[in-house]
Amino acid sequence: MKNKIILFWAIVLIVIISIAVIWKKPTSLGLDLVGGSRLMLEAQTSEAVKKITPEIMDSLQYAIENRVNALGVGETVVQKVGENRLLIEIPNISDTAKAKEFLGETAELEFKEPAGTDANGEPQWKTTGLTGKDLKKSSVATSQTGEWIVSLEFNPEGAKKFGALTRRLVGQPMAIFFNGKLQSAPRINEEITGGNAQITGGGDGFEYKQAKEMVDLLNAGALPVGAQIIEENSIGPTLGADSIQKSKFAGLIGLSLVMIFMILYYRLPGVIACVALCIYSVIVFAIFKIIPVTLTLAGIAGFILSIGMAVDANILIFERTKEELKAGRSLFTAINSGFDRAFTSIFDSNMTTIITCVILYVLGTSIVKGFALTLAIGVLVSMFSAITVTKNFMHLMFGTGELKHPALFGLKQSDIQNAFVATETKKEKAKFGVLD
């Protein structure tokens, strides 16, 4: 009983923390509810990429999605338009300049070799095939003279390219371009192996802010091609505050009807299930704010669906418990047996749902990912609330006593049968009338 009391207070603490999180942290809402910014990106050809292919656009879309999804697990839309454009919609950011800051620049790192001079004697450069796609990571460092530099570490394939390039250019300069601008052109004195390089920022060097911004962009993922923002505008919500209020109202009605059914059909255990359901809702909503999850109607639908699954778990448990009581088990044994027998069904059904959520999240679009994430979180927390919270409350309320009032479980006295009672051992050790 001592462990059950400790668990009870642990649950109370979790609820208090969850309420504090809900109270303090704002809710992130999706584009369909609060509006936001829309940007149109156009992929640009270069010396290295002469033609924009569908494969390149797939890679560009994937890289941009990784960036914008880092803003929050949201309903940010990144979809292809035509042959060489991407449409990006970022919720809750109505200032397009701020949206571009969140998106970041189109980081493009290139290493080039000499290609003669132009009519004015200016050096010309040609591509070498070594780009930011070959980069493993970058970091801000300082040179021997104390200047800020950007340190680069290439992946295995990039290290091979870089070694071959420096071997070929011994005694010649190698140009480093970032977003089309020449950053430095150091002279290669010997072959450089190991896959490490530095960008010094030319004669004046980098300021720390410049070096940090370059590192952040490179680490966010170099794009397979350059991309230019050709259109930007703010858009209003398609559903708005009225839909939010209607969704809240519909959710409250649905939750109330579920609670009324549980109480009328399962009586006292139904009341306990309703309390556990409220605790579940508070914890899930707090997790949504901590991550944070950007909520749209699709995400809210996933959350409400997970509430239904939480109720399903309680129904399985209570039905199993009633079966044990009808068989004449003691109250404590019936509760334990009900949870034990229902656990396998609950676990299997929830695991199949979570597997489906993982597949939807990995393969789905942004809106589908939001639905999958909210549903997966809800299912995981529902297992905790049904198995841990409900069981703990039932043990504390009923203890190890006998069932004196079957009506509390929606049963009649005539429903209770006689069963073997283990009198030579503690009731806590008796399951299904068999001694441990």
Side-chain angles (χ1 to χ4, degrees), residues 309-310 312-317 320 338-357 376 378-388:
M309 300 189 72
D312 286 344
N314 282 288
I315 289 174
L316 282 172
I317 292 167
R320 295 293 191 186
F339 277 88
D340 291 343
R341 293 180 61 190
F343 177 78
T344 303
S345 300
I346 295 170
F347 182 83
D348 290 347
S349 63
N350 285 341
M351 281 300 103
T352 55
T353 302
I354 291 173
I355 291 171
T356 304
C357 290
V379 168
L380 289 172
V381 178
S382 73
M383 289 182 66
F384 168 77
S385 66
I387 302 299
T388 305

mmCIF file of all heavy atoms in Angstrom, residues 309-310 312-317 320 338-357 376 378-388:
data_model
loop_
_atom_site.group_PDB
_atom_site.id
_atom_site.type_symbol
_atom_site.label_atom_id
_atom_site.label_comp_id
_atom_site.label_asym_id
_atom_site.label_seq_id
_atom_site.Cartn_x
_atom_site.Cartn_y
_atom_site.Cartn_z
ATOM 1 N N MET A 309 -9.406 6.183 -27.802
ATOM 2 C CA MET A 309 -8.631 4.965 -27.574
ATOM 3 C C MET A 309 -8.328 4.789 -26.086
ATOM 4 O O MET A 309 -8.228 3.660 -25.593
ATOM 5 C CB MET A 309 -7.340 5.015 -28.387
ATOM 6 C CG MET A 309 -7.589 5.119 -29.890
ATOM 7 S SD MET A 309 -6.118 4.918 -30.876
ATOM 8 C CE MET A 309 -5.815 3.169 -30.674
ATOM 9 N N ALA A 310 -8.157 5.903 -25.369
ATOM 10 C CA ALA A 310 -7.944 5.812 -23.922
ATOM 11 C C ALA A 310 -9.176 5.233 -23.235
ATOM 12 O O ALA A 310 -9.076 4.428 -22.300
ATOM 13 C CB ALA A 310 -7.613 7.200 -23.360
ATOM 14 N N ASP A 312 -11.311 3.224 -24.692
ATOM 15 C CA ASP A 312 -11.362 1.810 -25.072
ATOM 16 C C ASP A 312 -10.567 0.954 -24.101
ATOM 17 O O ASP A 312 -10.993 -0.155 -23.734
ATOM 18 C CB ASP A 312 -10.794 1.625 -26.490
ATOM 19 C CG ASP A 312 -11.752 2.130 -27.559
ATOM 20 O OD1 ASP A 312 -12.928 2.330 -27.231
ATOM 21 O OD2 ASP A 312 -11.316 2.323 -28.705
ATOM 22 N N ALA A 313 -9.397 1.441 -23.692
ATOM 23 C CA ALA A 313 -8.561 0.681 -22.762
ATOM 24 C C ALA A 313 -9.282 0.483 -21.437
ATOM 25 O O ALA A 313 -9.269 -0.621 -20.861
ATOM 26 C CB ALA A 313 -7.235 1.410 -22.540
ATOM 27 N N ASN A 314 -9.922 1.534 -20.932
ATOM 28 C CA ASN A 314 -10.668 1.414 -19.678
ATOM 29 C C ASN A 314 -11.840 0.452 -19.809
ATOM 30 O O ASN A 314 -12.134 -0.314 -18.890
ATOM 31 C CB ASN A 314 -11.164 2.798 -19.247
ATOM 32 C CG ASN A 314 -10.082 3.629 -18.607
ATOM 33 O OD1 ASN A 314 -9.664 3.380 -17.483
ATOM 34 N ND2 ASN A 314 -9.594 4.628 -19.339
ATOM 35 N N ILE A 315 -12.506 0.474 -20.953
ATOM 36 C CA ILE A 315 -13.633 -0.436 -21.167
ATOM 37 C C ILE A 315 -13.162 -1.884 -21.135
ATOM 38 O O ILE A 315 -13.794 -2.753 -20.502
ATOM 39 C CB ILE A 315 -14.332 -0.115 -22.504
ATOM 40 C CG1 ILE A 315 -15.090 1.219 -22.385
ATOM 41 C CG2 ILE A 315 -15.291 -1.236 -22.908
ATOM 42 C CD1 ILE A 315 -15.700 1.704 -23.681
ATOM 43 N N LEU A 316 -12.044 -2.177 -21.791
ATOM 44 C CA LEU A 316 -11.498 -3.535 -21.770
ATOM 45 C C LEU A 316 -11.185 -3.978 -20.337
ATOM 46 O O LEU A 316 -11.505 -5.103 -19.922
ATOM 47 C CB LEU A 316 -10.225 -3.606 -22.625
ATOM 48 C CG LEU A 316 -10.412 -3.677 -24.144
ATOM 49 C CD1 LEU A 316 -9.070 -3.544 -24.850
ATOM 50 C CD2 LEU A 316 -11.090 -4.981 -24.541
ATOM 51 N N ILE A 317 -10.556 -3.087 -19.585
ATOM 52 C CA ILE A 317 -10.171 -3.405 -18.203
ATOM 53 C C ILE A 317 -11.401 -3.671 -17.338
ATOM 54 O O ILE A 317 -11.466 -4.654 -16.601
ATOM 55 C CB ILE A 317 -9.329 -2.262 -17.617
ATOM 56 C CG1 ILE A 317 -7.961 -2.195 -18.317
ATOM 57 C CG2 ILE A 317 -9.134 -2.442 -16.112
ATOM 58 C CD1 ILE A 317 -7.187 -0.935 -18.034
ATOM 59 N N ARG A 320 -13.196 -6.965 -18.199
ATOM 60 C CA ARG A 320 -12.454 -8.099 -17.655
ATOM 61 C C ARG A 320 -12.649 -8.200 -16.141
ATOM 62 O O ARG A 320 -12.808 -9.298 -15.586
ATOM 63 C CB ARG A 320 -10.958 -7.948 -17.968
ATOM 64 C CG ARG A 320 -10.609 -8.013 -19.434
ATOM 65 C CD ARG A 320 -10.852 -9.384 -20.023
ATOM 66 N NE ARG A 320 -10.284 -9.525 -21.350
ATOM 67 C CZ ARG A 320 -10.445 -10.566 -22.140
ATOM 68 N NH1 ARG A 320 -11.194 -11.578 -21.732
ATOM 69 N NH2 ARG A 320 -9.892 -10.622 -23.324
ATOM 70 N N GLY A 338 -8.291 -8.341 -13.935
ATOM 71 C CA GLY A 338 -8.869 -7.554 -15.026
ATOM 72 C C GLY A 338 -7.810 -6.770 -15.779
ATOM 73 O O GLY A 338 -7.792 -6.748 -17.013
ATOM 74 N N PHE A 339 -6.897 -6.144 -15.035
ATOM 75 C CA PHE A 339 -5.816 -5.384 -15.681
ATOM 76 C C PHE A 339 -4.849 -6.321 -16.400
ATOM 77 O O PHE A 339 -4.399 -6.026 -17.515
ATOM 78 C CB PHE A 339 -5.066 -4.549 -14.638
ATOM 79 C CG PHE A 339 -5.722 -3.241 -14.331
ATOM 80 C CD1 PHE A 339 -6.696 -3.141 -13.350
ATOM 81 C CD2 PHE A 339 -5.381 -2.096 -15.025
ATOM 82 C CE1 PHE A 339 -7.317 -1.939 -13.064
ATOM 83 C CE2 PHE A 339 -5.988 -0.880 -14.755
ATOM 84 C CZ PHE A 339 -6.962 -0.799 -13.765
ATOM 85 N N ASP A 340 -4.524 -7.452 -15.758
ATOM 86 C CA ASP A 340 -3.576 -8.388 -16.374
ATOM 87 C C ASP A 340 -4.125 -8.975 -17.671
ATOM 88 O O ASP A 340 -3.408 -9.080 -18.671
ATOM 89 C CB ASP A 340 -3.243 -9.520 -15.405
ATOM 90 C CG ASP A 340 -2.408 -9.045 -14.219
ATOM 91 O OD1 ASP A 340 -1.836 -7.937 -14.319
ATOM 92 O OD2 ASP A 340 -2.341 -9.771 -13.203
ATOM 93 N N ARG A 341 -5.370 -9.360 -17.662
ATOM 94 C CA ARG A 341 -5.962 -9.996 -18.843
ATOM 95 C C ARG A 341 -6.200 -8.988 -19.966
ATOM 96 O O ARG A 341 -6.140 -9.351 -21.146
ATOM 97 C CB ARG A 341 -7.275 -10.676 -18.460
ATOM 98 C CG ARG A 341 -7.113 -11.871 -17.527
ATOM 99 C CD ARG A 341 -8.456 -12.482 -17.198
ATOM 100 N NE ARG A 341 -9.122 -12.971 -18.403
ATOM 101 C CZ ARG A 341 -10.382 -13.374 -18.439
ATOM 102 N NH1 ARG A 341 -11.115 -13.341 -17.331
ATOM 103 N NH2 ARG A 341 -10.921 -13.810 -19.551
ATOM 104 N N ALA A 342 -6.474 -7.735 -19.607
ATOM 105 C CA ALA A 342 -6.741 -6.720 -20.634
ATOM 106 C C ALA A 342 -5.453 -6.130 -21.214
ATOM 107 O O ALA A 342 -5.466 -5.582 -22.317
ATOM 108 C CB ALA A 342 -7.596 -5.597 -20.048
ATOM 109 N N PHE A 343 -4.339 -6.248 -20.474
ATOM 110 C CA PHE A 343 -3.103 -5.564 -20.886
ATOM 111 C C PHE A 343 -2.636 -5.997 -22.272
ATOM 112 O O PHE A 343 -2.252 -5.155 -23.091
ATOM 113 C CB PHE A 343 -1.996 -5.813 -19.868
ATOM 114 C CG PHE A 343 -0.679 -5.197 -20.277
ATOM 115 C CD1 PHE A 343 -0.458 -3.838 -20.124
ATOM 116 C CD2 PHE A 343 0.324 -5.977 -20.840
ATOM 117 C CE1 PHE A 343 0.735 -3.257 -20.509
ATOM 118 C CE2 PHE A 343 1.530 -5.413 -21.227
ATOM 119 C CZ PHE A 343 1.731 -4.052 -21.052
ATOM 120 N N THR A 344 -2.668 -7.279 -22.546
ATOM 121 C CA THR A 344 -2.177 -7.767 -23.838
ATOM 122 C C THR A 344 -2.960 -7.168 -24.992
ATOM 123 O O THR A 344 -2.384 -6.711 -25.993
ATOM 124 C CB THR A 344 -2.253 -9.303 -23.905
ATOM 125 O OG1 THR A 344 -1.503 -9.856 -22.827
ATOM 126 C CG2 THR A 344 -1.688 -9.811 -25.219
ATOM 127 N N SER A 345 -4.293 -7.157 -24.857
ATOM 128 C CA SER A 345 -5.132 -6.582 -25.917
ATOM 129 C C SER A 345 -4.862 -5.096 -26.082
ATOM 130 O O SER A 345 -4.761 -4.585 -27.209
ATOM 131 C CB SER A 345 -6.610 -6.815 -25.605
ATOM 132 O OG SER A 345 -6.887 -8.196 -25.515
ATOM 133 N N ILE A 346 -4.740 -4.383 -24.955
ATOM 134 C CA ILE A 346 -4.484 -2.945 -25.004
ATOM 135 C C ILE A 346 -3.129 -2.666 -25.656
ATOM 136 O O ILE A 346 -3.001 -1.804 -26.535
ATOM 137 C CB ILE A 346 -4.522 -2.344 -23.578
ATOM 138 C CG1 ILE A 346 -5.931 -2.461 -22.986
ATOM 139 C CG2 ILE A 346 -4.075 -0.892 -23.593
ATOM 140 C CD1 ILE A 346 -6.008 -2.119 -21.527
ATOM 141 N N PHE A 347 -2.105 -3.414 -25.233
ATOM 142 C CA PHE A 347 -0.753 -3.197 -25.754
ATOM 143 C C PHE A 347 -0.694 -3.472 -27.259
ATOM 144 O O PHE A 347 -0.144 -2.674 -28.029
ATOM 145 C CB PHE A 347 0.236 -4.094 -25.018
ATOM 146 C CG PHE A 347 1.663 -3.917 -25.453
ATOM 147 C CD1 PHE A 347 2.432 -2.892 -24.936
ATOM 148 C CD2 PHE A 347 2.228 -4.775 -26.384
ATOM 149 C CE1 PHE A 347 3.744 -2.717 -25.347
ATOM 150 C CE2 PHE A 347 3.538 -4.622 -26.799
ATOM 151 C CZ PHE A 347 4.302 -3.585 -26.275
ATOM 152 N N ASP A 348 -1.284 -4.591 -27.681
ATOM 153 C CA ASP A 348 -1.235 -4.956 -29.101
ATOM 154 C C ASP A 348 -1.941 -3.921 -29.973
ATOM 155 O O ASP A 348 -1.424 -3.511 -31.018
ATOM 156 C CB ASP A 348 -1.863 -6.337 -29.319
ATOM 157 C CG ASP A 348 -1.003 -7.448 -28.736
ATOM 158 O OD1 ASP A 348 0.163 -7.162 -28.401
ATOM 159 O OD2 ASP A 348 -1.484 -8.590 -28.620
ATOM 160 N N SER A 349 -3.133 -3.513 -29.554
ATOM 161 C CA SER A 349 -3.893 -2.552 -30.364
ATOM 162 C C SER A 349 -3.188 -1.205 -30.426
ATOM 163 O O SER A 349 -3.134 -0.569 -31.485
ATOM 164 C CB SER A 349 -5.307 -2.388 -29.805
ATOM 165 O OG SER A 349 -5.269 -1.841 -28.497
ATOM 166 N N ASN A 350 -2.625 -0.765 -29.298
ATOM 167 C CA ASN A 350 -1.937 0.517 -29.290
ATOM 168 C C ASN A 350 -0.634 0.470 -30.082
ATOM 169 O O ASN A 350 -0.254 1.450 -30.730
ATOM 170 C CB ASN A 350 -1.657 0.956 -27.849
ATOM 171 C CG ASN A 350 -2.898 1.459 -27.149
ATOM 172 O OD1 ASN A 350 -3.879 1.810 -27.790
ATOM 173 N ND2 ASN A 350 -2.876 1.483 -25.830
ATOM 174 N N MET A 351 0.078 -0.654 -30.027
ATOM 175 C CA MET A 351 1.320 -0.779 -30.783
ATOM 176 C C MET A 351 1.063 -0.725 -32.280
ATOM 177 O O MET A 351 1.831 -0.119 -33.032
ATOM 178 C CB MET A 351 2.041 -2.071 -30.411
ATOM 179 C CG MET A 351 2.812 -2.021 -29.110
ATOM 180 S SD MET A 351 4.115 -0.743 -29.081
ATOM 181 C CE MET A 351 3.305 0.526 -28.082
ATOM 182 N N THR A 352 -0.008 -1.367 -32.730
ATOM 183 C CA THR A 352 -0.328 -1.305 -34.162
ATOM 184 C C THR A 352 -0.661 0.127 -34.576
ATOM 185 O O THR A 352 -0.285 0.573 -35.664
ATOM 186 C CB THR A 352 -1.504 -2.233 -34.499
ATOM 187 O OG1 THR A 352 -2.635 -1.905 -33.656
ATOM 188 C CG2 THR A 352 -1.140 -3.680 -34.276
ATOM 189 N N THR A 353 -1.336 0.860 -33.690
ATOM 190 C CA THR A 353 -1.638 2.266 -33.985
ATOM 191 C C THR A 353 -0.355 3.091 -34.042
ATOM 192 O O THR A 353 -0.175 3.929 -34.943
ATOM 193 C CB THR A 353 -2.579 2.848 -32.916
ATOM 194 O OG1 THR A 353 -3.769 2.084 -32.858
ATOM 195 C CG2 THR A 353 -2.918 4.297 -33.234
ATOM 196 N N ILE A 354 0.552 2.864 -33.101
ATOM 197 C CA ILE A 354 1.806 3.624 -33.078
ATOM 198 C C ILE A 354 2.654 3.311 -34.305
ATOM 199 O O ILE A 354 3.278 4.213 -34.898
ATOM 200 C CB ILE A 354 2.581 3.317 -31.780
ATOM 201 C CG1 ILE A 354 1.836 3.918 -30.578
ATOM 202 C CG2 ILE A 354 4.008 3.871 -31.849
ATOM 203 C CD1 ILE A 354 2.412 3.536 -29.242
ATOM 204 N N ILE A 355 2.697 2.050 -34.717
ATOM 205 C CA ILE A 355 3.436 1.686 -35.933
ATOM 206 C C ILE A 355 2.865 2.420 -37.139
ATOM 207 O O ILE A 355 3.600 2.945 -37.986
ATOM 208 C CB ILE A 355 3.399 0.160 -36.144
ATOM 209 C CG1 ILE A 355 4.231 -0.547 -35.065
ATOM 210 C CG2 ILE A 355 3.935 -0.202 -37.537
ATOM 211 C CD1 ILE A 355 4.079 -2.059 -35.062
ATOM 212 N N THR A 356 1.542 2.470 -37.214
ATOM 213 C CA THR A 356 0.897 3.208 -38.303
ATOM 214 C C THR A 356 1.262 4.689 -38.239
ATOM 215 O O THR A 356 1.521 5.318 -39.274
ATOM 216 C CB THR A 356 -0.631 3.040 -38.230
ATOM 217 O OG1 THR A 356 -0.958 1.653 -38.251
ATOM 218 C CG2 THR A 356 -1.311 3.744 -39.387
ATOM 219 N N CYS A 357 1.292 5.251 -37.032
ATOM 220 C CA CYS A 357 1.659 6.663 -36.871
ATOM 221 C C CYS A 357 3.088 6.918 -37.342
ATOM 222 O O CYS A 357 3.371 7.940 -37.975
ATOM 223 C CB CYS A 357 1.505 7.080 -35.406
ATOM 224 S SG CYS A 357 -0.199 7.183 -34.837
ATOM 225 N N ALA A 376 0.035 9.631 -31.940
ATOM 226 C CA ALA A 376 1.032 8.763 -31.292
ATOM 227 C C ALA A 376 1.270 9.186 -29.848
ATOM 228 O O ALA A 376 1.323 8.343 -28.939
ATOM 229 C CB ALA A 376 2.339 8.786 -32.077
ATOM 230 N N GLY A 378 -0.778 10.842 -27.944
ATOM 231 C CA GLY A 378 -1.993 10.534 -27.197
ATOM 232 C C GLY A 378 -2.109 9.060 -26.846
ATOM 233 O O GLY A 378 -2.496 8.707 -25.725
ATOM 234 N N VAL A 379 -1.751 8.185 -27.777
ATOM 235 C CA VAL A 379 -1.841 6.743 -27.527
ATOM 236 C C VAL A 379 -0.874 6.328 -26.420
ATOM 237 O O VAL A 379 -1.212 5.544 -25.530
ATOM 238 C CB VAL A 379 -1.557 5.957 -28.821
ATOM 239 C CG1 VAL A 379 -1.363 4.479 -28.527
ATOM 240 C CG2 VAL A 379 -2.707 6.139 -29.805
ATOM 241 N N LEU A 380 0.357 6.854 -26.474
ATOM 242 C CA LEU A 380 1.352 6.501 -25.455
ATOM 243 C C LEU A 380 0.904 6.958 -24.064
ATOM 244 O O LEU A 380 1.011 6.216 -23.086
ATOM 245 C CB LEU A 380 2.700 7.122 -25.807
ATOM 246 C CG LEU A 380 3.431 6.508 -27.013
ATOM 247 C CD1 LEU A 380 4.652 7.334 -27.377
ATOM 248 C CD2 LEU A 380 3.836 5.068 -26.707
ATOM 249 N N VAL A 381 0.399 8.182 -23.988
ATOM 250 C CA VAL A 381 -0.050 8.690 -22.687
ATOM 251 C C VAL A 381 -1.310 7.961 -22.233
ATOM 252 O O VAL A 381 -1.513 7.744 -21.037
ATOM 253 C CB VAL A 381 -0.290 10.212 -22.748
ATOM 254 C CG1 VAL A 381 -0.811 10.740 -21.410
ATOM 255 C CG2 VAL A 381 0.996 10.934 -23.109
ATOM 256 N N SER A 382 -2.157 7.551 -23.174
ATOM 257 C CA SER A 382 -3.386 6.832 -22.802
ATOM 258 C C SER A 382 -3.057 5.492 -22.156
ATOM 259 O O SER A 382 -3.775 5.039 -21.261
ATOM 260 C CB SER A 382 -4.275 6.621 -24.031
ATOM 261 O OG SER A 382 -3.740 5.634 -24.898
ATOM 262 N N MET A 383 -1.975 4.852 -22.604
ATOM 263 C CA MET A 383 -1.560 3.601 -21.967
ATOM 264 C C MET A 383 -1.145 3.846 -20.521
ATOM 265 O O MET A 383 -1.467 3.071 -19.616
ATOM 266 C CB MET A 383 -0.410 2.969 -22.746
ATOM 267 C CG MET A 383 -0.817 2.405 -24.097
ATOM 268 S SD MET A 383 0.545 1.609 -24.969
ATOM 269 C CE MET A 383 0.866 0.205 -23.890
ATOM 270 N N PHE A 384 -0.453 4.963 -20.307
ATOM 271 C CA PHE A 384 -0.048 5.317 -18.936
ATOM 272 C C PHE A 384 -1.263 5.604 -18.067
ATOM 273 O O PHE A 384 -1.365 5.122 -16.933
ATOM 274 C CB PHE A 384 0.878 6.536 -18.970
ATOM 275 C CG PHE A 384 1.114 7.153 -17.621
ATOM 276 C CD1 PHE A 384 1.995 6.570 -16.717
ATOM 277 C CD2 PHE A 384 0.459 8.321 -17.246
ATOM 278 C CE1 PHE A 384 2.210 7.136 -15.468
ATOM 279 C CE2 PHE A 384 0.665 8.896 -16.006
ATOM 280 C CZ PHE A 384 1.553 8.295 -15.117
ATOM 281 N N SER A 385 -2.204 6.381 -18.596
ATOM 282 C CA SER A 385 -3.369 6.758 -17.786
ATOM 283 C C SER A 385 -4.267 5.557 -17.499
ATOM 284 O O SER A 385 -4.782 5.412 -16.388
ATOM 285 C CB SER A 385 -4.171 7.862 -18.497
ATOM 286 O OG SER A 385 -4.747 7.369 -19.691
ATOM 287 N N ALA A 386 -4.442 4.666 -18.502
ATOM 288 C CA ALA A 386 -5.340 3.526 -18.305
ATOM 289 C C ALA A 386 -4.717 2.465 -17.403
ATOM 290 O O ALA A 386 -5.380 1.937 -16.505
ATOM 291 C CB ALA A 386 -5.704 2.919 -19.662
ATOM 292 N N ILE A 387 -3.446 2.153 -17.643
ATOM 293 C CA ILE A 387 -2.801 1.070 -16.905
ATOM 294 C C ILE A 387 -2.338 1.518 -15.522
ATOM 295 O O ILE A 387 -2.516 0.817 -14.520
ATOM 296 C CB ILE A 387 -1.596 0.520 -17.703
ATOM 297 C CG1 ILE A 387 -2.054 0.017 -19.072
ATOM 298 C CG2 ILE A 387 -0.892 -0.578 -16.927
ATOM 299 C CD1 ILE A 387 -3.057 -1.099 -19.006
ATOM 300 N N THR A 388 -1.743 2.709 -15.446
ATOM 301 C CA THR A 388 -1.136 3.167 -14.188
ATOM 302 C C THR A 388 -2.109 3.976 -13.333
ATOM 303 O O THR A 388 -2.359 3.647 -12.167
ATOM 304 C CB THR A 388 0.120 4.004 -14.469
ATOM 305 O OG1 THR A 388 1.023 3.235 -15.275
ATOM 306 C CG2 THR A 388 0.810 4.395 -13.173
#
